[in-house]
Amino acid sequence: AIEANAETVALDALDQEALAQFQGSETVPRAIFPGHEAVTAFGPIRSSESCLQCHDGDAGELLGVFRYTFPGQPLNRQLAGHP
């Protein structure tokens, strides 16, 4: 397995839900959670075949997750299909 050297932070409820989605399937490309004040999106970081040329592990292994937070109102309207 690939060992992490990065500092970690405590996971909140959204982090845990996104992580569960990514751990449950290698094909989930993102997780989006619209909220009143902000939209939070997550993207998985997975190992690729090129990673395995230098590191141990399996291709597609979940290494981490990017978290993005965007102002909510304009994006929520767009996600709901309203201009």
Side-chain angles (χ1 to χ4, degrees):
I2 297 173
E3 293 185 33
N5 295 337
E7 184 177 323
T8 58
V9 296
L11 302 180
D12 67 15
L14 284 182
D15 295 325
Q16 292 174 9
E17 188 172 341
L19 188 58
Q21 288 183 29
F22 297 138
Q23 289 173 329
S25 172
E26 289 186 20
T27 61
V28 175
R30 65 187 163 277
I32 300 175
F33 301 94
H36 180 68
E37 296 296 321
V39 172
T40 305
F42 296 85
I45 304 167
R46 296 191 179 278
S47 60
S48 66
E49 289 292 335
S50 64
C51 298
L52 304 179
Q53 293 175 9
C54 301
H55 302 280
D56 291 329
D58 298 316
E61 185 176 344
L62 184 64
L63 303 176
V65 176
F66 280 108
R67 178 180 176 146
Y68 306 91
T69 303
F70 304 97
Q73 294 302 322
L75 219 58
N76 279 337
R77 290 177 54 81
Q78 212 169 3
L79 287 172
H82 303 290

